Amino acid sequence: MKKIITTPITYDQLKDLNAGDTVYLTGKLATCRDAGHRRVIKENIMPENFDFNGGAIFHAGPIVRTNPDGTFTMISIGPTTSRRMEPAEAEFIEKTGVKMIIGKGGMLGKTTEACKKFGAVHCAFPGGCAIIAADRVKDTYGVEWMDFGMPEALWEMDVEEFGPLIVSIDTKGNNLFENNKVAFSEKVTELKDKL
Amino acid sequence: MENKQQLTNILAEFIKTVSIHLPDDVEKRIRELASCEKEGLGKDMYGCILDNLALAKKYNRPLCQDTGVLQFFVKVGTKFPLIDCLEECIVEASSYATLNTPLRPNVVEPLGEHNTGNNVGYKAPYIEWELEPGGDGLSVMLYMAGGGCSLPGRSKVLMPLEGVEGVKKYVYETILDWGVNACPPLLVGIGLGTCAATSAMLSKKAILRPIGTHCDNEKGAKLEKELQEELDSIGIAPLGFGGKHSVLAVHVECAGHHPATLGVGITTGCWATRRGEVVIDKDLNARYTMHTVKEGV
Ligand code: SF4
């Protein structure tokens, strides 16, 4: 059975999720990455047509086609490295009330703390699988912050069963990729010892 | 004039093909690695990767949204009829393919961060030239350098006393620190030379070589094999979720070096390593060497 999270996201929908679980998202989703985080945190500016509160964001820079009638077609949209947003994410969560952050790979301690404190999760979308993601975007209904260029702009979408999303940070302070990293480091220590 | 347009069209079509289809060697290797993961997230993630490849072909769209910065490695005969306008054709094809495939416009101007909108800018796309005296043909190799997979790249000059152990340590640490976010399984290129720059260049050459080929130098080939087994034992693939492997392959390229230095370069490609070669003769007949898909697909 597919576990589906729908926006607006409540704490109730997230509280039983564990790091490593697979979920899907239905509802509204906006891309927001390096420049978008800077705008929210440093310049205190929020998008006009997208409510982060109870919402979901995607660390991604898509390829979008603008059609002759001004509508958009989502061509290809996979995740970008979430770790780059680590310095800003905790503050972003606190400030906006965002409940789900989707990206590539994991995030670190500060974000893990914020997820626990404010009841949010970070999920990893399989890196590079951009057509699977585009296929789940039902409508790209708007864009803001185009002054950043196509990859960094804030694209607003309706998505249906968007995923698979692997919970990487849950609301209880568990962090999948940090755990994996410990296991990988042990292997590397073994390898070095053999040199 | 007509020929120039024809060459531009061939190159634009080639760029598009490389963005949609993995080269044969990479796809074959991914299928092999996928068949080793029998359960859990490892199996699921390879399932996504294979589904994604099929959907990209079906919709004729770039298989990953990060179509990178276009890097061309050109080998041109000095008697190739269009040699004088070749650079112009490559630049024009890059811009055309960006707007019409479409690719993601990635190129930002140096130090200004202004996105040029068509992947063309100051010294972009990147073009490396090699002349073939007397030849009348052309070979264009394209590598799409994505962000995530370019990030682990580095080079360093070790003390010769650090030896092969020093090289290995440097490689392990780089893959441990940066590999997860580079969408593994990775194609790892290692260059061994005198200085940071030549070692880096050799490591780039290493990942342009098809998987299944080996370093011509015996010791280099041995290092490839050892590093591949060792990196695989860390098990970061697929996609950092953990599994039986870490790499698509490890390729080493080495050159005789200064006795006082041991330069090491590392370049990584992701599971979606998109590279290809088109060989074009003087009559502009084109042939892809790394893709079985036909031109115009
Ligand atoms: S590392 Fe490769 S597969 Fe992953 S997002 Fe970047 S270009 Fe795409």
Side-chain angles (χ1 to χ4, degrees):
Chain A
M1 248 268 290
K2 271 186 178 174
K3 169 109 185 126
I4 296 165
I5 308 289
T6 50
T7 61
I9 302 168
T10 59
Y11 176 67
D12 264 358
Q13 291 184 71
L14 303 180
K15 68 179 193 314
D16 296 327
L17 296 181
N18 293 309
D21 287 355
T22 300
V23 299
Y24 295 80
L25 177 76
T26 292
K28 299 212 180 301
L29 176 66
T31 62
C32 189
R33 45 185 281 171
D34 313 65
H37 279 69
R38 216 176 303 133
R39 185 151 285 181
V40 169
I41 302 297
K42 297 265 185 294
E43 298 169 34
N44 238 331
I45 297 171
M46 295 287 171
E48 282 169 24
N49 301 314
F50 190 87
D51 192 2
F52 287 132
N53 194 7
I57 59 166
F58 192 17
H59 296 154
I63 304 175
V64 186
R65 173 178 277 145
T66 305
N67 303 312
D69 62 358
T71 58
F72 301 116
T73 303
M74 188 53 70
I75 300 288
S76 195
I77 179 169
T80 194
T81 303
S82 287
R83 205 165 106 179
R84 286 204 317 275
M85 270 53 79
E86 177 66 22
E89 206 67 79
E91 198 181 335
F92 190 97
I93 293 170
E94 177 168 13
K95 202 163 190 166
T96 62
V98 73
K99 286 279 172 269
M100 182 183 273
I101 297 132
I102 304 168
K104 180 169 90 177
M107 299 191 75
L108 306 180
K110 255 174 74 186
T111 304
T112 312
E113 279 303 306
C115 282
K116 198 172 167 187
K117 189 163 170 201
F118 300 104
V121 293
H122 176 269
C123 296
F125 188 95
C129 296
I131 310 294
I132 291 184
D135 211 30
R136 297 274 151 222
V137 174
K138 294 302 148 194
D139 184 26
T140 305
Y141 61 85
V143 64
E144 296 184 50
W145 304 349
M146 250 327 238
D147 53 313
F148 295 144
M150 185 194 289
E152 295 277 347
L154 188 117
W155 294 93
E156 297 154 347
M157 303 168 278
D158 277 319
V159 300
E160 203 176 293
E161 296 191 16
F162 185 85
L165 308 172
I166 319 303
V167 178
S168 99
I169 300 174
D170 60 25
T171 54
K172 305 158 209 169
N174 299 307
N175 188 322
L176 178 72
F177 283 95
E178 287 300 286
N179 293 346
N180 285 356
K181 183 149 190 202
V182 172
F184 300 150
S185 304
E186 279 166 12
K187 291 273 168 54
V188 167
T189 309
E190 274 172 42
L191 285 173
K192 283 188 189 162
D193 287 346
K194 281 191 205 144
L195 288 177
Chain B
M1 211 44 220
E2 222 172 82
N3 286 350
K4 192 175 150 192
Q5 191 55 51
Q6 196 187 338
L7 179 58
T8 305
N9 293 349
I10 290 170
L11 291 170
E13 194 58 41
F14 167 61
I15 296 168
K16 178 175 178 182
T17 299
V18 172
S19 77
I20 297 169
H21 304 269
L22 283 186
D24 299 346
D25 62 319
V26 175
E27 179 158 351
K28 177 166 167 266
R29 184 70 183 137
I30 285 180
R31 289 185 187 281
E32 285 168 13
L33 296 181
S35 69
C36 300
E37 302 294 342
K38 308 273 189 233
E39 56 186 16
L41 279 180
K43 182 169 183 250
D44 292 352
M45 292 301 108
Y46 276 117
C48 284
I49 287 174
L50 295 176
D51 285 351
N52 192 68
L53 293 180
L55 281 177
K57 287 177 196 171
K58 181 174 152 199
Y59 295 148
N60 236 354
R61 290 179 180 181
L63 65 99
C64 174
Q65 83 292 339
D66 187 354
T67 49
V69 165
L70 305 180
Q71 301 179 332
F72 294 94
F73 302 84
V74 179
K75 204 181 285 174
V76 59
T78 50
K79 295 202 163 59
F80 181 69
L82 294 169
I83 188 169
D84 289 339
C85 60
L86 183 53
E87 181 168 0
E88 217 180 300
C89 292
I90 292 174
V91 170
E92 179 59 33
S94 300
S95 156
Y96 184 88
T98 299
L99 301 177
N100 290 281
T101 305
L103 309 179
R104 194 170 76 180
N106 277 323
V107 169
V108 290
E109 287 293 4
L111 303 172
E113 303 281 301
H114 164 73
N115 192 311
T116 64
N118 63 355
N119 282 328
V120 172
Y122 181 71
K123 299 202 178 174
Y126 178 86
I127 309 175
E128 217 170 281
W129 298 95
E130 208 178 303
L131 289 176
E132 201 172 31
D136 61 6
L138 165 70
S139 147
V140 178
M141 175 89 88
L142 165 64
Y143 179 82
M144 295 187 156
C149 49
S150 296
L151 270 178
R154 62 208 46 217
S155 65
K156 185 179 176 182
V157 182
L158 304 179
M159 299 296 154
L161 273 181
E162 293 178 74
V164 95
E165 292 79 16
V167 172
K168 285 186 169 181
K169 229 188 214 170
Y170 186 49
V171 174
Y172 302 155
E173 280 163 4
T174 302
I175 299 304
L176 177 66
D177 285 347
W178 295 91
V180 163
N181 287 322
C183 292
L186 307 172
L187 182 54
V188 180
I190 312 290
L192 301 175
T194 293
C195 64
T198 53
S199 306
M201 279 155 69
L202 287 167
S203 74
K204 185 75 179 201
K205 286 228 167 88
I207 65 164
L208 296 179
R209 167 151 72 69
I211 296 170
T213 58
H214 301 285
C215 181
D216 285 339
N217 178 283
E218 213 180 294
K219 288 194 174 141
K222 183 166 169 268
L223 181 62
E224 279 179 351
K225 199 165 164 270
E226 290 173 3
L227 271 174
Q228 179 150 341
E229 279 167 18
E230 288 155 8
L231 290 178
D232 273 344
S233 77
I234 309 174
I236 65 168
L239 304 170
F241 291 104
K244 299 198 164 46
H245 297 86
S246 301
V247 301
L248 293 165
V250 177
H251 287 178
V252 171
E253 288 291 312
C254 48
H257 63 95
H258 193 286
T261 66
L262 175 54
V264 192
I266 304 176
T267 298
T268 49
C270 48
W271 72 257
T273 294
R274 284 144 298 164
R275 58 154 155 63
E277 185 195 35
V278 58
V279 174
I280 301 170
D281 70 14
K282 65 175 190 333
D283 302 316
L284 299 187
N285 298 303
R287 181 172 59 85
Y288 298 161
T289 66
M290 292 185 166
H291 293 78
T292 42
V293 288
K294 291 188 179 56
E295 298 91 75
V297 166

